[in-house]
Amino acid sequence: MALASTTASRLITRRLSAPLPPSSSPHSSAPRRAAPRGGARPRPRGFAVRWEGTPRALLGGFSDADAEDASEDEDEYEEDARSALSGGPSPPHHERDDVLELAAASSSSGPERWDVLGLGQAMVDFSGMVDDEFLERLGIEKGTRKVVNHEERGRVLRAMDGCTYKAAAGGSLSNSLVALARLGSSRTTIYPELRIAMAGSVGSDPLGSFYRQKLRRANVQFLSKPVKDGTTGTVIVLTTPDAQRTMLAYQGTSSTLAYDSDLAELVSKSNLLVVEGYLFEFAHTIEAIKQACEDAKKNGALIAVSASDVSCIKRCHSDFWDIVGNYADILFANANEARAFCELTSEESTMSAARYLSHSIPLVSVTDGMHGSYIGVKGEAIYIPPPACIPVDTCGAGDAYASGILYGILRGASDLKGIGLLAAQVAAVVVGQQGTRLRVKDADRLAEAFEFHFDNLECCSDAGTDQVTNS
């Protein structure tokens, strides 16, 4: 069955510019393998869906023998973040420091364009392991996401006193961007480094500075100015032994998003815009999202939207469809979120939801936990089997999967099945560890496996011959 060429033309011709000159990031000075003769590899002009020949390299798991988290710096900053919350001593912080860092990141010495710009909630994550009794004692419903006020947040953190937990620059979008940056800066491949940036709202407080610094260390530039006298939002992520996560979100200034001249300039310099669905919860951000998408579309950028949360979709259904139906090239959702988009019952299959959505959106990515995932294109759904994995913490699995999909597209891959298998492997690695961040060593292995697979796969590069084969 032939896929209409409009799918390929919208996702490829409205896409990425030529590779950019090397950035001035801390990682860019490391030697890289030489590029092939003739310059950068040509980008395929279309997507080809290939059912035959399962690429086993992308299905294989990775040994945990050398998965030490040497690249992570959560421990270094954990006490600083705790102190900032509790009102205790913290490192000297000046709002001027954030402004200077922002000016440096945005200066003329930076990239002329960004490969990816994310718009989302900037939240500091506090994640820890608890038992079911802990949740019952505090009257917290397991497996839910709840918005809490300042007092409720304090009550939970006091109950966690003595427990082991870590702090990170969190939020669904930043999880995806960090994973994408680590895949995109791998020294094991010949690909040019990806330039990743984020815009959102943090306060002019120590947690805001913590957030900006953490992203910068992960090679993601946070380019929004701090909100004067604002309070940075936080999310408490409580994971039980069965790997279920319960999330308590304190919004702070994270719900603020103004489409000013600075943000408009960033959008105009970006090849791919990613909008986090949690922003739809706030009526005053909808217009900013719409303006960003309108400008991104005018500038030829791809636009991706993450569904983020079922309750958010149900509350903001018409706003979601207004943006997704008119602007989105890519939609990320889990099975329940996809059904909520389609207003389908829980009895309807994930495949049905993926097919339904793909009639309105060029590429739809729908995850379904241990049951695998689907990529929907033009009314067809491609099944992606789940890799073998012993789940430790499911927090961040969907965010990691989205990074794999974006990485494949940014690298110009034409094999959607292969892209899906990479995304599933990225998610499996994150699920098999404690914490939401893809580790640098794992990112290197995944990027190398991706390059090996696509170097050895015969690609269909003609947008007019996109085919779905079922042989």
Side-chain angles (χ1 to χ4, degrees):
M1 184 186 306
L3 292 179
S5 61
T6 53
T7 301
S9 64
R10 193 176 180 205
L11 281 170
I12 297 298
T13 60
R14 285 184 51 230
R15 58 169 299 165
L16 324 152
S17 63
L20 303 168
S23 72
S24 55
S25 73
H27 305 293
S28 62
S29 60
R32 294 180 178 274
R33 289 165 49 191
R37 285 181 297 174
R41 75 180 58 216
R43 299 184 184 279
R45 288 175 287 153
F47 283 109
V49 184
R50 304 171 67 91
W51 294 97
E52 68 277 12
T54 303
R56 304 299 305 174
L58 292 181
L59 281 171
F62 293 134
S63 168
D64 291 329
D66 60 344
E68 70 274 10
D69 204 359
S71 62
E72 297 294 326
D73 54 336
E74 273 82 359
D75 293 335
E76 179 182 346
Y77 292 99
E78 181 179 350
E79 291 304 321
D80 294 347
R82 289 189 191 216
S83 296
L85 267 177
S86 64
S90 61
H93 169 264
H94 303 285
E95 184 179 343
R96 182 184 63 182
D97 297 337
D98 288 339
V99 174
L100 291 174
E101 282 190 23
L102 178 61
S106 305
S107 69
S108 57
S109 62
E112 295 180 4
R113 293 188 65 82
W114 297 96
D115 290 300
V116 179
L117 172 65
L119 299 183
Q121 288 187 310
M123 313 276 278
V124 174
D125 278 356
F126 290 86
S127 56
M129 299 291 295
V130 300
D131 54 25
D132 290 349
E133 182 183 353
F134 179 92
L135 299 178
E136 292 170 2
R137 188 168 69 250
L138 294 179
I140 301 171
E141 184 180 353
K142 180 178 174 180
T144 60
R145 179 182 182 274
K146 178 185 177 183
V147 176
V148 298
N149 58 31
H150 188 272
E151 290 73 22
E152 289 174 302
R153 181 184 72 169
R155 181 171 65 95
V156 175
L157 288 174
R158 284 192 297 272
M160 291 177 68
D161 191 34
C163 298
T164 299
Y165 62 92
K166 288 189 174 182
S172 174
L173 176 63
S174 72
N175 289 337
S176 295
L177 295 182
V178 168
L180 182 58
R182 287 179 171 170
L183 290 167
S185 61
S186 172
R187 302 184 184 114
T188 64
T189 72
I190 62 173
Y191 296 120
E193 184 175 359
L194 296 178
R195 280 72 171 171
I196 313 296
M198 180 177 170
S201 295
V202 295
S204 55
D205 55 0
L207 281 182
S209 181
F210 169 87
Y211 188 91
R212 189 185 307 278
Q213 291 170 8
K214 288 287 287 180
L215 283 190
R216 179 171 53 82
R217 291 174 71 95
N219 222 18
V220 177
Q221 299 298 326
F222 188 80
L223 299 178
S224 296
K225 298 175 182 177
V227 178
K228 187 173 179 59
D229 299 325
T231 304
T232 303
T234 57
V235 177
I236 302 172
V237 183
L238 306 173
T239 304
T240 45
D242 60 358
Q244 287 294 306
R245 58 176 176 168
T246 303
M247 303 172 69
L248 305 172
Y250 170 68
Q251 301 293 351
T253 62
S254 65
S255 62
T256 304
L257 181 66
Y259 195 70
D260 55 19
S261 58
D262 291 337
L263 183 51
E265 182 180 3
L266 287 176
V267 170
S268 71
K269 295 167 59 177
S270 302
N271 293 326
L272 194 157
L273 177 69
V274 185
V275 180
E276 184 180 38
Y278 287 124
L279 288 177
F280 286 82
E281 291 185 293
F282 311 101
H284 55 277
T285 65
I286 300 297
E287 186 58 33
I289 294 171
K290 189 171 183 177
Q291 289 178 325
C293 289
E294 184 67 35
D295 283 355
K297 186 176 181 180
K298 288 177 182 176
N299 286 295
L302 291 178
I303 299 170
V305 177
S306 68
S308 297
D309 183 70
V310 171
S311 60
C312 180
I313 294 169
K314 290 180 178 179
R315 289 193 301 270
C316 313
H317 193 264
S318 61
D319 290 324
F320 262 109
W321 266 113
D322 182 38
I323 299 297
V324 168
N326 289 308
Y327 302 105
D329 298 289
I330 306 163
L331 174 67
F332 296 110
N334 64 30
N336 291 330
E337 292 161 357
R339 281 189 281 263
F341 258 114
C342 306
E343 298 182 296
L344 299 176
T345 66
S346 58
E347 286 74 31
E348 295 286 349
S349 70
T350 305
M351 178 185 289
S352 297
R355 285 176 170 171
Y356 182 97
L357 289 167
S358 70
H359 285 292
S360 302
I361 304 149
L363 191 149
V364 179
S365 167
V366 183
T367 57
D368 197 11
M370 66 180 68
H371 303 295
S373 55
Y374 292 88
I375 296 178
V377 178
K378 206 67 180 179
E380 295 295 326
I382 307 162
Y383 176 64
I384 309 297
C389 172
I390 299 176
V392 174
D393 182 359
T394 61
C395 186
D399 308 332
Y401 189 96
S403 74
I405 296 291
L406 293 176
Y407 182 75
I409 292 173
L410 287 162
R411 291 312 190 198
S414 62
D415 175 20
L416 288 179
K417 182 89 172 185
I419 292 174
L421 290 169
L422 167 72
Q425 186 62 69
V426 177
V429 169
V430 170
V431 167
Q433 67 181 31
Q434 178 65 40
T436 62
R437 290 286 190 258
L438 178 67
R439 295 165 177 156
V440 170
K441 287 189 176 181
D442 288 329
D444 285 344
R445 298 190 198 112
L446 288 161
E448 188 172 22
F450 173 90
E451 182 184 30
F452 175 82
H453 166 62
F454 285 99
D455 275 351
N456 289 278
L457 180 69
E458 180 178 306
C459 294
C460 296
S461 61
D462 189 343
T465 60
D466 291 350
Q467 297 286 325
V468 176
T469 57
N470 199 14
S471 56

